[in-house]
Amino acid sequence: MKKEQIQEFTRRISQSNRSELVVVTYDIFFAYLADAGEAYRNDDPPAFKEALRGGQRAVEELMRTLDFSYGLAGELYRIYVYCRDCLAKAMYKYDAAETKTAEQLMRRLCDAFVQAAAQDQSAPLMKNTQQVYAGYTYGRDDLVETFADPDQSRGFLA
């Protein structure tokens, strides 16, 4: 994963509520799959395997966050296990085609979570973080984000 992607995911995580955090985790999964596809096209088995391991970690994080007091969690768990196993099979066989089914399933689930996150108006989970403003200035090729930190005492308060 590129440094810019890591920074973007970090910023999104710091500004996310519970529902948005699940969507960010899905996006991390898709970023790792894109890295795996690129490594496969470049015939780089170590990078391919490392990217798939990152995708597996994202799926395992989604599995850990399930609330089994809801009946749907059991169904999601089975889908996540299947997707994780597809990534393991792709790693074992060194075949990017094995990831397609997992990606299709995860895209459909992600779309559902994006719709649910759009309805969630709860506050961000992280407190005492920098406020991010986008759109005030534009760079040469893209939008520039500005971080406003009126309270310089971020971090742990004692």
Side-chain angles (χ1 to χ4, degrees):
M1 194 176 307
K2 295 176 182 73
K3 181 180 176 185
E4 295 83 20
Q5 285 179 310
I6 293 170
Q7 289 175 341
E8 173 66 18
F9 288 135
T10 302
R11 184 195 59 78
R12 286 178 59 197
I13 288 168
S14 70
Q15 305 294 317
S16 295
N17 60 23
R18 285 187 194 278
S19 301
E20 293 165 345
L21 196 56
V22 172
V23 174
V24 172
T25 307
Y26 275 102
D27 290 341
I28 290 170
F29 171 80
F30 296 129
Y32 277 122
L33 280 190
D35 290 348
E38 183 178 330
Y40 186 77
R41 285 187 296 279
N42 294 335
D43 197 30
D44 187 359
F48 178 74
K49 289 181 180 183
E50 186 58 36
L52 289 179
R53 283 189 194 101
Q56 286 180 321
R57 287 191 302 270
V59 172
E60 288 167 358
E61 182 61 30
L62 289 168
M63 292 167 67
R64 278 192 293 276
T65 60
L66 289 173
D67 182 359
F68 286 97
S69 64
Y70 297 100
L72 184 60
E75 300 301 320
L76 285 172
Y77 186 83
R78 285 192 275 273
I79 293 171
Y80 291 152
V81 167
Y82 178 76
C83 291
R84 186 188 61 191
D85 292 347
C86 285
L87 296 183
K89 192 184 301 183
M91 195 181 318
Y92 176 74
K93 290 183 174 182
Y94 187 63
D95 184 11
E98 295 288 338
T99 64
K100 297 299 181 199
T101 304
E103 184 175 9
Q104 290 171 348
L105 285 170
M106 296 293 272
R107 288 250 181 238
R108 292 173 71 186
L109 292 173
C110 181
D111 292 342
F113 278 104
V114 166
Q115 291 176 4
Q119 298 173 5
D120 186 359
Q121 300 301 319
S122 61
L125 292 174
M126 294 179 74
K127 306 276 189 261
N128 205 21
T129 60
Q130 287 180 325
Q131 187 65 34
V132 179
Y133 298 98
Y136 285 141
T137 59
Y138 293 89
R140 184 177 183 102
D141 296 323
D142 60 348
L143 180 70
V144 174
E145 295 178 340
T146 303
F147 296 94
D149 195 9
D151 182 18
Q152 296 295 326
S153 63
R154 285 188 18 239
F156 293 106
L157 299 175

